[in-house]
Amino acid sequence: MPISSVSQSRSLWRSPLLGLGLLVLLAFGLACYHYVTGNDQTFPLLPVPQLKPVPLVLHQVQVGLAALPMRVNGYLITQTYDMAGPYVRPEAAAALLVLVAIALAYALAAISTLARPAFVAGMAFVIFLLMSFNADLLGIFDAQKQYFLMLALLALGVPAYTFHAFWTDVPLWQRILLFAGLLAGLSALLFLRSDYPANTTALHLASYATTSGAIAVGLLVLWVAFENIHGLLWFNTQAENASSRFGLLPFLLASGLYLGILLMYYLNDGELLILPGVHLDPYVLLLPAMVIGWFGLQRRATSYGEWLPYAPGARYNYLTFCVLALGFVGYAFATANDPLLTAGRDFVALAFLTCGGAFLLYILINFAQLIRQRLRVYRVVYNPRRFPLYVVYLLGIAGIVAVQARNNFFLRDQVQAGYFNNLGDLTRLQSEQQPTVDALALLAERYYAESDVLDRFNHKASLGRAALYHFRAQRQNEINALRRALSRRPSEKISLRLASLYNEPNDFFDRLQVLRQGLKSAPKSAALANDMAQLYTRSTITDSVEFYLHRAEALAPENPVIRANRIAFLVQQQQLAEAQKLTEETKSPDSQPVIQSNALLLAQLTGKLAPKVKVLASDQDLTLPEFSRLYHDALRRAVAHDTTLLPALTKLVKRQGNSAYFDQLTFLVALTQQYGDRPVTAQATLLPLTTGNSPGVAYYQHLQGLWLLEEGANASAAARFTEAATNGYADAHLPRAYALALSNQPDSARVAAVRATRIPDASQAQAARQLVQVLQLRYPTDFGQATDSVRAQYIVLRGAELPPSEQLSAPKAIRAAPARQVAMLAQARRALVSNQLADVQAVIEEFAPQATTKSPQTSEWNILRGNLLVRGKQLAALQQFARTAYFEPLHQPYRLYYRAVAAELSNNPTQAAQLYQQLANQAPYVEEGVLAAANFYAHRRDFAAAYDVLLRSLEYNADSPQLLKGYALAAIPAGLTEYAEASLEKLRSLLSPLEYATFRSQYDARRAAQAAATAPWN
């Protein structure tokens, strides 16, 4: 191959040519990058997550032996694929403009050194390139006048002519710096004065320069069209020893194979399989031709030296054209402009075939005998004796013109189609930036339509129109555009995009048809197989889901989307063990939130240890997979009394970008607060979700009721359950029946329980029938024949109805130890209210676990122990108990209550007041503590403080009869009896007539005494 000597090479690259060479390498690197990534960045294939609700029992509220489930929705994530875009690429346009500007600086400097004819020809191309940008349309000075073009021509043309005609001795590097500075100034003026943003300006310039870029590519391709044959000649004849050189036959065979491949590519309509899975791309042949053309440029000077000197003219202009061609080809790849890319491939193949064949004929006519003699023919290949070199171009170009004439110059139409595509992208971007200007959208649609007419196999135009319709939510027009594109040429991505649009329940068979056709044309597409599997999950045909999932896994075994879908399918089929095994085998980094979310959900379903996941930053907008992962992680942490996520959740719910998840994030904040010892804050947080009368509101009202029931605020819980049931939440009937029974309203409880037997949930209906049996049980007739569990539940719910003599003996008849212990605890509480302190003490000693044993049962018994010590005013024992006894997190406020009583008994009113205030603020559901606090303030004659404590407690536990009684009585000395009337009316509905009459007599007596005490003496 013709290679210059080492000394010449060194001197060559010490000149400004080094910078231009580096620019060529940069342009080549960008072209390769866009070749690999351009289609995926313009038409990215993105996984689209879908949430499928999975019922979870997050927690259970114990009522005796019954466990009332706290149901929440878990979210199983599955993913399908969808094609986004087409995206415009302003960064690629900016990179192209930088390459063009630097190349122009070198080109102008080199052109200014040429003789007059070459100078005129070079400047003509520069002028054409500058005109093609249509920069004046950006409104630099006047969009109707070409002032900026004239300024650019003067700013660049005058110095170029001055160097050419007058200052001929100025060094080349100084000329390059001057032109670079002028171009930088013109660029700055253009971008600063443009009426459009920088990205739109860059796209405008790159789009309008499409035609000039195509011409630059065409000129370079013609120049190097036979260089690959030249390279084969060099390879055959370059050896130092004649015996090591190849003769004529090997050269003919190699050249014939090369030209035969190009001919087969042309005859096969642009498709040629070289190796399994490897298709011929003529752009790959362009690279060696450019390299060979550069190394043979100096030797080729014998053919062009009369009108263009090798140095600096030919070598600088050759590299300049390489930069321009690589830049525009790279931009075509970056924008996935298929008409331009197809035109480039066809032209390269055709030019290399015709000119290469003519050059082979040229070599055979001039040098066949020398090749047979195994001489170094490559050295004299440009010194013909019989057949001049220009005839090669005449024959090659004639062949190109003949083929194009036969095809009605379709190549020209493809270039124009690519040009209209670029203009369509530019105008579509402007229409999206100005959505109210319909004219821009119509103009963009017109550009795409023109492109579609010029090249009917043009996917870019169809996808551009589909993007226009998508932006304006014109679903049917978008579907039509995509169907038209698929009818002309199959495409995996377009099939996926069209299938994603068929997302309505009635679209099942339309989507099925699109995916089937896509798989038929792209049988090795894992994405299409995955989407087919997900489509069948909507049906009952699980074997089809299994078939297509297996197919997708075989095509892409490490694909995280398919792996997550497999886990989701196993969970849906209740194959939890297999799902757990697959999850443990799957790597789930933080970059795969879908797999992590499904793994967290699976851990919740199986009760296994959940994987650790990254805590998200609180200043970000959540994606759907990130939300689902955070949701499951927050559920797990909340029931474990872990408040780590609370600050992040509080900030995330306030971000506008997370408004789609407002309800769920608010619920997570409230849940974390509830089980993080902040129940008052939790109820306040949940309040916006409980206002209204929709089914969604009903669920949160039911949740409020469960929390209140767990805290012992039975009457208030019953009110919440009533609201939830009224608003359509069927699961609220059963806990409502329990809450009513615990509130001593057995008749209402029976009605609610009977209604609960008719709900669709079979497990809930069965539990309701068991409750009906308990509520309808007659004592002692049916009690002795009932099972231990039924008798225990009867005592828990209706133990107050037992004869006084059997209050504590009836539970002892229960044989099963757990049931007996639950019944004894319920009756001991009632005995304590009746001041049977000795009997309660005996029950504790016989049935209660040790006060320091860590268990939920111990915590319940310790409340009874503490209340017994409070009633007995046992100061020392109470102090010791408050320090050492075990309480569950929900019952921790009772420790505060006992410390407050101890401080009061030890004559430390300051500490007692502080602790009582803390208790009233943190745990208003601890009725004993709130009433003790009110009594404490009343004894100190701070009636306003007593009233405020009860008022705040009623804001939380509004239907508590004990608190309502205390509030009504506290209002008398506070002088606020008018506010007590509402409480009295509420008490009328909560108490039996006898109980209400008794309390009303007490209230009236207190009020009369207060009136007498405050009446004037006269």
Side-chain angles (χ1 to χ4, degrees):
M1 186 175 182
I3 303 177
S4 303
S5 66
V6 175
S7 60
Q8 288 176 325
S9 178
R10 286 177 178 173
S11 62
L12 186 69
W13 293 111
R14 287 173 182 167
S15 67
L17 198 64
L18 175 61
L20 188 54
L22 294 175
L23 189 65
V24 172
L25 292 178
L26 175 62
F28 172 70
L30 286 174
C32 291
Y33 173 75
H34 293 313
Y35 180 86
V36 174
T37 66
N39 191 275
D40 288 335
Q41 291 191 2
T42 303
F43 307 111
L45 200 59
L46 303 176
V48 180
Q50 294 94 27
L51 296 184
K52 296 186 177 181
V54 175
L56 285 178
V57 176
L58 182 65
H59 182 59
Q60 290 183 326
V61 177
Q62 291 293 138
V63 180
L65 295 178
L68 300 177
M70 182 184 294
R71 300 183 187 276
V72 298
N73 273 341
Y75 294 109
L76 194 63
I77 300 186
T78 58
Q79 291 176 290
T80 55
Y81 282 97
D82 187 12
M83 182 195 72
Y87 293 129
V88 295
R89 302 291 303 280
E91 75 285 354
L96 170 64
L97 294 177
V98 170
L99 292 175
V100 171
I102 300 175
L104 269 180
Y106 275 94
L108 286 165
I111 290 170
S112 67
T113 65
L114 302 179
R116 186 61 52 84
F119 173 79
V120 172
M123 288 304 298
F125 179 78
V126 170
I127 292 171
F128 172 74
L129 181 61
L130 292 174
M131 290 175 62
S132 69
F133 287 121
N134 278 333
D136 284 290
L137 293 180
L138 295 170
I140 311 302
F141 299 113
D142 185 346
Q144 305 299 321
K145 306 292 182 180
Q146 294 188 328
Y147 293 147
F148 182 80
L149 176 62
M150 290 187 286
L151 174 63
L153 294 178
L154 289 174
L156 300 175
V158 171
Y161 182 76
T162 302
F163 286 134
H164 164 74
F166 305 110
W167 296 349
T168 57
D169 296 332
V170 176
L172 188 64
W173 66 270
Q174 293 182 5
R175 303 185 187 201
I176 293 172
L177 288 179
L178 176 63
F179 285 116
L182 290 172
L183 285 165
L186 288 171
S187 301
L189 176 65
L190 192 151
F191 277 90
L192 292 175
R193 295 273 302 175
S194 173
D195 291 340
Y196 302 96
N199 59 349
T200 307
T201 300
L203 283 171
H204 172 98
L205 297 174
S207 300
Y208 276 98
T210 301
T211 303
S212 59
I215 292 174
V217 173
L219 291 175
L220 178 68
V221 169
L222 286 175
W223 181 262
V224 301
F226 53 76
E227 291 294 351
N228 284 334
I229 298 292
H230 182 201
L232 292 174
L233 177 66
W234 172 85
F235 183 78
N236 275 267
T237 63
Q238 52 82 32
E240 291 290 338
N241 297 322
S243 59
S244 300
R245 300 173 196 144
F246 299 97
L248 181 62
L249 182 59
F251 172 66
L252 287 175
L253 289 176
S255 301
L257 178 62
Y258 166 75
L259 294 174
I261 288 173
L262 290 174
L263 180 62
M264 291 173 63
Y265 177 86
Y266 170 73
L267 294 177
N268 205 37
D269 206 14
E271 287 288 336
L272 183 62
L273 187 67
I274 303 296
L275 294 171
V278 179
H279 292 262
L280 174 66
D281 190 338
Y283 285 118
V284 176
L285 301 177
L286 182 59
L287 175 62
M290 291 168 61
V291 175
I292 297 168
W294 167 251
F295 284 112
L297 190 62
Q298 185 172 6
R299 188 169 286 110
R300 193 172 170 180
T302 56
S303 65
Y304 63 77
E306 293 181 1
W307 54 274
L308 181 66
Y310 167 70
R315 64 187 188 188
Y316 276 89
N317 283 302
Y318 178 81
L319 292 182
T320 298
F321 269 92
C322 287
V323 171
L324 292 175
L326 288 171
F328 279 101
V329 169
Y331 184 68
F333 278 117
T335 55
N337 199 335
D338 46 338
L340 285 180
L341 295 175
T342 304
R345 288 188 175 96
D346 293 345
F347 184 71
V348 169
L350 184 59
F352 279 25
L353 175 61
T354 57
C355 294
F359 190 68
L360 177 61
L361 180 65
Y362 163 87
I363 291 174
L364 293 178
I365 292 175
N366 288 304
F367 308 109
Q369 190 62 35
L370 298 180
I371 297 174
R372 285 196 186 96
Q373 298 172 14
R374 301 194 176 186
L375 298 178
R376 307 182 82 175
V377 176
Y378 75 88
R379 290 185 170 180
V380 295
V381 70
Y382 292 115
N383 295 297
R385 293 291 183 266
R386 302 171 186 168
F387 194 77
L389 183 64
Y390 69 84
V391 178
V392 172
Y393 277 109
L394 290 178
L395 292 175
I397 293 174
I400 293 172
V401 172
V403 171
Q404 287 302 309
R406 180 181 179 276
N407 295 332
N408 293 321
F409 293 96
F410 183 56
L411 184 71
R412 178 196 58 194
D413 294 341
Q414 287 178 305
V415 173
Q416 287 183 329
Y419 172 70
F420 283 125
N421 278 344
N422 283 338
L423 292 184
D425 287 347
L426 169 65
T427 314
R428 176 166 60 87
L429 174 64
Q430 292 173 326
S431 73
E432 291 174 359
Q433 293 172 342
Q434 305 173 60
T436 58
V437 182
D438 292 336
L440 288 172
L442 293 173
L443 180 59
E445 185 179 23
R446 183 60 184 170
Y447 281 137
Y448 288 130
E450 288 292 335
S451 175
D452 208 25
V453 170
L454 291 168
D455 182 1
R456 63 184 301 269
F457 301 105
N458 174 8
H459 274 170
K460 180 67 182 290
S462 297
L463 291 172
R465 296 172 82 174
L468 272 173
Y469 301 139
H470 181 77
F471 184 78
R472 283 163 174 76
Q474 299 176 11
R475 176 175 177 268
Q476 190 57 51
N477 285 341
E478 184 181 2
I479 289 174
N480 294 340
L482 294 174
R483 291 181 68 90
R484 184 167 55 250
L486 281 178
S487 67
R488 296 173 176 179
R489 181 159 55 95
S491 167
E492 174 196 15
K493 291 185 176 181
I494 296 179
S495 296
L496 290 167
R497 177 62 190 150
L498 180 57
S500 71
L501 290 176
Y502 289 122
N503 53 7
E504 300 294 333
N506 296 332
D507 293 336
F508 180 89
F509 291 103
D510 290 326
R511 186 167 188 167
L512 180 64
Q513 181 185 11
V514 171
L515 291 174
R516 278 180 174 172
Q517 291 176 346
L519 275 172
K520 185 177 180 180
S521 61
K524 294 185 178 181
S525 170
L528 286 168
N530 171 79
D531 279 24
M532 184 70 89
Q534 293 311 303
L535 177 62
Y536 275 114
T537 59
R538 301 182 186 178
S539 69
T540 58
I541 313 175
T542 56
D543 56 342
S544 294
V545 180
E546 180 63 37
F547 172 80
Y548 284 107
L549 262 182
H550 181 73
R551 181 173 176 176
E553 288 169 334
L555 292 168
E558 300 300 324
N559 189 309
V561 171
I562 299 172
R563 181 63 61 91
N565 286 343
R566 167 62 76 178
I567 295 172
F569 177 64
L570 291 173
V571 172
Q572 286 177 300
Q573 297 302 307
Q574 297 298 312
Q575 301 177 29
L576 301 183
E578 292 84 349
Q580 183 67 35
K581 181 180 178 182
L582 184 59
T583 301
E584 292 171 355
E585 295 172 356
T586 303
K587 295 180 180 178
S588 55
D590 292 329
S591 59
Q592 298 294 338
V594 174
I595 293 179
Q596 288 187 336
S597 175
N598 286 348
L600 288 168
L601 174 63
L602 185 59
Q604 198 81 40
L605 291 169
T606 59
K608 299 282 182 72
L609 185 65
K612 294 183 179 179
V613 298
K614 176 185 176 183
V615 177
L616 289 175
S618 58
D619 57 348
Q620 69 179 76
D621 295 336
L622 298 173
T623 62
L624 197 62
E626 287 173 343
F627 158 72
S628 181
R629 178 179 63 182
L630 174 67
Y631 178 83
H632 293 134
D633 190 30
L635 290 180
R636 174 182 65 86
R637 291 176 184 270
V639 294
H641 309 287
D642 181 353
T643 59
T644 304
L645 291 178
L646 186 56
L649 289 170
T650 305
K651 292 180 181 178
L652 287 170
V653 75
K654 295 178 181 177
R655 291 185 61 84
Q656 183 63 32
N658 296 326
S659 59
Y661 315 116
F662 175 81
D663 287 3
Q664 292 85 352
L665 290 175
T666 303
F667 160 67
L668 291 176
V669 172
L671 186 71
T672 306
Q673 291 168 338
Q674 175 69 22
Y675 292 105
D677 302 331
R678 304 179 190 177
V680 177
T681 310
Q683 292 282 0
T685 301
L686 202 62
L687 185 61
L689 305 183
T690 60
T691 304
N693 54 7
S694 67
V697 168
Y699 167 77
Y700 294 111
Q701 292 169 339
H702 169 76
L703 184 66
Q704 271 188 324
L706 285 176
W707 288 348
L708 290 168
L709 186 64
E710 189 175 29
E711 294 161 357
N714 303 320
S716 296
R720 294 294 184 278
F721 290 134
T722 301
E723 293 175 356
T726 302
N727 290 331
Y729 193 72
D731 285 355
H733 290 292
L734 180 60
R736 175 172 178 262
Y738 275 107
L740 289 170
L742 291 171
S743 301
N744 296 320
Q745 301 181 52
D747 295 334
S748 299
R750 274 189 286 271
V751 173
V754 170
R755 186 174 297 177
T757 61
R758 297 193 291 267
I759 64 177
D761 190 323
S763 61
Q764 290 282 84
Q766 177 61 27
R769 284 190 286 270
Q770 293 173 355
L771 177 58
V772 169
Q773 180 185 0
V774 171
L775 293 175
Q776 292 179 347
L777 188 72
R778 292 173 297 176
Y779 186 88
T781 308
D782 303 327
F783 186 83
Q785 301 173 359
T787 62
D788 285 346
S789 60
V790 171
R791 286 192 286 179
Q793 284 297 88
Y794 178 87
I795 292 172
V796 169
L797 299 176
R798 301 176 58 190
E801 300 175 18
L802 295 176
S805 60
E806 300 180 26
Q807 287 279 338
L808 295 176
S809 61
K812 295 180 181 180
I814 299 175
R815 292 181 294 275
R820 183 173 61 245
Q821 192 176 40
V822 167
M824 286 303 307
L825 176 60
Q827 287 302 85
R829 288 171 176 164
R830 294 187 176 102
L832 183 62
V833 174
S834 302
N835 277 322
Q836 303 175 34
L837 303 188
D839 294 336
V840 173
Q841 182 64 41
V843 170
I844 291 174
E845 291 175 357
E846 182 177 356
F847 294 100
Q850 293 294 321
T852 55
T853 303
K854 294 183 178 180
S855 70
Q857 294 77 16
T858 301
S859 185
E860 296 282 354
W861 279 98
N862 281 344
I863 295 175
L864 180 65
R865 277 194 181 99
N867 290 343
L868 178 63
L869 293 174
V870 169
R871 284 184 177 262
K873 298 184 178 181
Q874 303 176 40
L875 176 58
L878 186 61
Q879 289 175 329
Q880 176 68 18
F881 178 78
R883 286 194 301 269
T884 60
Y886 171 75
F887 291 98
E888 288 280 291
L890 179 66
H891 300 149
Q892 285 296 329
Y894 283 93
R895 191 190 305 275
L896 193 63
Y897 165 46
Y898 302 142
R899 289 176 56 204
V901 174
E904 183 181 2
L905 293 175
S906 61
N907 294 320
N908 189 348
T910 303
Q911 183 182 13
Q914 181 182 358
L915 292 171
Y916 277 131
Q917 281 292 341
Q918 190 176 350
L919 176 67
N921 291 332
Q922 294 181 4
Y925 57 86
V926 180
E927 293 182 2
E928 305 95 324
V930 172
L931 293 172
N935 289 332
F936 168 77
Y937 288 116
H939 290 154
R940 295 174 56 84
R941 306 197 63 79
D942 190 352
F943 301 117
Y947 176 84
D948 288 339
V949 165
L950 288 164
L951 179 62
R952 289 202 305 273
S953 300
L954 281 173
E955 290 173 356
Y956 182 85
N957 189 5
D959 293 277
S960 167
Q962 298 302 321
L963 292 180
L964 287 169
K965 288 179 182 179
Y967 172 75
L969 295 176
I972 296 172
L976 299 170
T977 52
E978 64 274 13
Y979 294 111
E981 294 301 324
S983 299
L984 292 172
E985 287 300 318
K986 185 174 285 189
L987 281 169
R988 187 190 297 274
S989 62
L990 293 173
L991 300 177
S992 66
L994 179 61
E995 289 176 320
Y996 179 76
T998 302
F999 173 73
R1000 186 60 192 247
S1001 300
Q1002 180 186 1
Y1003 173 80
D1004 291 338
R1006 287 269 191 99
R1007 186 171 181 180
Q1010 178 70 17
T1014 58
W1017 65 271
N1018 58 349

